[in-house]
Amino acid sequence: MSFKELGLSEPLLKAISKKGYETPSPIQAKAIPSVLEGKDVLASAQTGTGKTAGFTLPLLHLLSENPKEKYRPIRALILTPTRELAAQVFANVKEYSEFLNLRSAVIFGGVNQKPQIATIRKGVDVLVATPGRLLDLQNQGALSLKRVEIFVLDEADRMLDMGFLRDIERVMKLMPDKRQNLLFSATFSKDIKKLAYSILNNPVQVETARQNTAVEVIDQKVYRVAKGKKTGLIIKLISEGNWNQVLVFTRTKHGANKLCKKMISAGISAAAIHGNKSQGARTKALAGFKNGSVRVLVATDIAARGIDIPLLPHVINFELPNISEDYVHRIGRTGRAGAEGQALSLVSADETSYLKGIEKLIGESIEVEIVEGFEPDPNASTAPIKPGQNRNQNKGRRTNNRNSNSKGSGNNRNSNRNKSRNRNRNNDSTRN
Ligand code: ADP
Ligand code: MG
């Protein structure tokens, strides 16, 4: 199967070959024909499988087929959960539309709105946006969604995790009823199905990877270590391994900053990205990481979600996430496009229950190693990280911790988790 056989127009084929893609990825091969037919599509495939082009290419094809008006209303809206993702999707839209007469723009919070408004005023066909800034500008009368023909919800699972359900519903009310809807997601949960049901009309469902499976080419390993020795161990691993592009996850923003400082003191160039950083700082950190001037990028789950760094060799969980699905998302940053990747986790006694949850989700037990001089503390409690700890960064987690001790059914626990996560995200004014 080639991109040409999928029915994409010449200007798009030209942009695709300029980008260096030879064949469509499985999810692209499945999704593109249905989108081109004008159908609503529900697509789920793992992170890193090329979902962006899966909706962007046919969307651009459809828009360019219809005549443009002199006054350009927004005809396609792509919603994404984070600023980074919005910027990335926009960069893709730009590249793929290079040989088409279409205009696009991106809007997200955390930066001055004036240039965004000015760009939209000039007329754009495709708008990429995070929900908060979109609704904000719409309220100010700076944009109208009344002429949207195609609506894309990207990273829909993350949207829900971040508590954007209400915002999505608000956005839907601003668009005409008759439109094409595309929903893309890395995972395919009950909540996603429910959301899909409310947004999509008679959707074609396309799916590639089984949900929640860890990519097989990823080599996973757990280092059992005393909590206080984690920093020493991670520095040892990175310096002795001579690793040059390492993505490190911490549970909290504060933890990310702290670890970043320690790395720098140890002579390892590092930068942190999380919701408290300004957009400029985040963009700069990401650019430095991509071009190799920054060896280690320390990130929280929200900040890292959806970031596209091809062929990332090493992902390290400095702390395990307390939501097992986040582990799968985190390690999805490595081993892309068939290249081998390594996902390491530093696990202290109080993370034992998180590790069990993760192993249950991925259906395998992860190989354990202990490094001399960095042994686990035999006297440390295996009780999960105490409620109230990191209160400032993670208000919602307190409920989670209590839940992970309870004996309730898995389903109940999950829905409680989501509720508390949503509450957490809703209170987070820095979310986009
Ligand atoms: P997802 O949204 O599924 O997580 P992305 O759309 O961000 O994945 O794509 C992941 C990476 O794969 C990007 O670097 C992208 O440029 C690349 N990619 C996408 N489609 C193809 C293709 N057909 N051939 C080769 N690389 C591709
Ligand atoms: Mg994506």
Side-chain angles (χ1 to χ4, degrees):
M1 180 63 76
S2 68
F3 281 108
K4 194 174 177 156
E5 285 169 292
L6 292 178
L8 295 167
S9 64
E10 275 307 323
L12 286 166
L13 295 175
K14 199 169 151 192
I16 292 165
S17 79
K18 191 172 170 191
K19 187 92 173 122
Y21 301 166
E22 281 163 12
T23 48
S25 71
I27 195 69
Q28 289 164 0
K30 285 186 179 177
I32 290 173
S34 297
V35 181
L36 286 177
E37 280 174 38
K39 292 188 173 137
D40 279 14
V41 172
L42 170 58
S44 82
Q46 259 173 330
T47 303
T49 52
K51 291 190 289 299
T52 318
F55 59 77
T56 307
L57 294 170
L59 176 155
L60 292 171
H61 180 108
L62 291 175
L63 291 185
S64 64
E65 270 192 330
N66 292 328
K68 275 158 289 294
E69 300 163 35
K70 209 153 86 208
Y71 162 74
R72 294 181 178 230
I74 297 166
R75 293 167 65 202
L77 172 67
I78 304 172
L79 268 195
T80 73
T82 65
R83 320 168 203 192
E84 277 81 11
L85 211 52
Q88 242 168 58
V89 171
F90 174 62
N92 278 307
V93 171
K94 274 271 182 232
E95 285 174 318
Y96 301 143
S97 62
E98 186 183 343
F99 306 107
L100 292 170
N101 178 20
L102 290 171
R103 287 196 214 143
S104 52
V106 63
I107 58 172
F108 43 73
V111 294
N112 189 347
Q113 64 172 39
K114 277 190 193 144
Q116 299 179 350
I117 293 176
T119 309
I120 293 169
R121 285 256 156 83
K122 285 186 216 142
V124 295
D125 303 284
V126 182
L127 182 66
V128 184
T130 54
R133 179 57 61 96
L134 179 74
L135 287 167
D136 196 4
L137 294 193
Q138 198 276 336
N139 275 333
Q140 296 177 42
L143 61 86
S144 165
L145 300 177
K146 286 195 180 131
R147 301 287 301 276
V148 170
E149 297 162 29
I150 307 175
F151 171 55
V152 184
L153 199 59
D154 190 22
E155 305 275 352
D157 47 356
R158 204 52 170 190
M159 288 273 194
L160 293 182
D161 284 353
M162 290 178 70
F164 282 137
L165 183 59
R166 294 279 162 280
D167 284 351
I168 294 169
E169 286 166 355
R170 266 178 222 129
V171 171
M172 289 204 298
K173 288 204 185 96
L174 302 170
M175 297 183 289
D177 290 338
K178 197 176 162 294
R179 55 166 202 267
Q180 185 178 9
N181 301 287
L182 313 174
L183 190 151
F184 281 70
S185 182
T187 54
F188 196 44
S189 65
K190 242 195 226 152
D191 286 342
I192 290 291
K193 277 182 206 155
K194 220 172 104 190
L195 178 71
Y197 197 73
S198 72
I199 297 181
L200 308 172
N201 294 315
N202 240 335
V204 175
Q205 190 176 325
V206 292
E207 210 171 343
T208 52
R210 193 156 50 89
Q211 131 191 35
N212 294 337
T213 40
V215 182
E216 258 134 49
V217 290
I218 301 175
D219 172 27
Q220 302 172 69
K221 197 187 278 182
V222 158
Y223 287 93
R224 283 286 192 169
V225 57
K227 207 179 180 70
K229 290 186 176 163
K230 281 190 176 186
T231 306
L233 178 58
I234 197 171
I235 288 171
K236 180 186 160 78
L237 291 171
I238 293 171
S239 15
E240 289 184 3
N242 220 349
W243 298 339
N244 286 318
Q245 218 185 17
V246 191
L247 180 62
V248 176
F249 285 94
T250 60
R251 268 183 347 110
T252 67
K253 299 167 192 170
H254 175 66
N257 285 337
K258 215 168 101 184
L259 183 60
C260 190
K261 280 195 191 123
K262 295 248 173 75
M263 296 260 185
I264 293 167
S265 312
I268 298 171
S269 59
I273 58 164
H274 53 65
N276 279 1
K277 292 262 172 182
S278 73
Q279 184 54 33
R282 289 157 71 153
T283 309
K284 197 171 148 224
L286 193 60
F289 188 58
K290 283 188 177 175
N291 72 25
S293 61
V294 171
R295 262 172 93 182
V296 179
L297 190 68
V298 189
T300 55
D301 288 290
I302 295 188
R305 170 72 180 191
I307 286 179
D308 171 32
I309 302 151
L311 308 180
L312 192 61
H314 302 281
V315 169
I316 305 181
N317 298 304
F318 187 71
E319 286 137 339
L320 285 181
N322 50 0
I323 292 143
S324 304
E325 286 82 1
D326 283 350
Y327 176 83
V328 180
H329 288 304
R330 287 181 180 188
I331 72 168
R333 319 267 101 237
T334 186
R336 301 191 138 193
E340 276 208 31
Q342 216 182 19
L344 310 176
S345 304
L346 310 193
V347 181
S348 50
D350 55 359
E351 294 169 297
T352 306
S353 63
Y354 301 159
L355 179 60
K356 282 195 188 129
I358 288 163
E359 290 182 328
K360 197 171 157 207
L361 177 73
I362 64 173
E364 58 184 290
S365 56
I366 306 170
E367 183 194 331
V368 176
E369 193 172 317
I370 292 173
V371 179
E372 216 185 306
F374 299 90
E375 290 84 1
D377 177 358
N379 300 317
S381 159
T382 56
I385 296 148
K386 289 203 182 56
Q389 196 166 319
N390 302 316
R391 184 174 284 142
N392 293 335
Q393 286 90 28
N394 276 302
K395 287 183 181 118
R397 307 267 182 193
R398 271 184 284 167
T399 333
N400 294 338
N401 289 331
R402 219 177 299 132
N403 283 337
S404 54
N405 280 334
S406 79
K407 295 229 165 64
S409 81
N411 276 345
N412 259 333
R413 231 146 65 196
N414 267 333
S415 67
N416 281 337
R417 274 177 190 179
N418 285 337
K419 269 182 219 149
S420 85
R421 296 185 78 182
N422 289 347
R423 213 165 25 240
N424 190 20
R425 311 300 195 233
N426 279 333
N427 291 339
D428 181 358
S429 60
T430 62
R431 62 188 180 179
N432 64 7

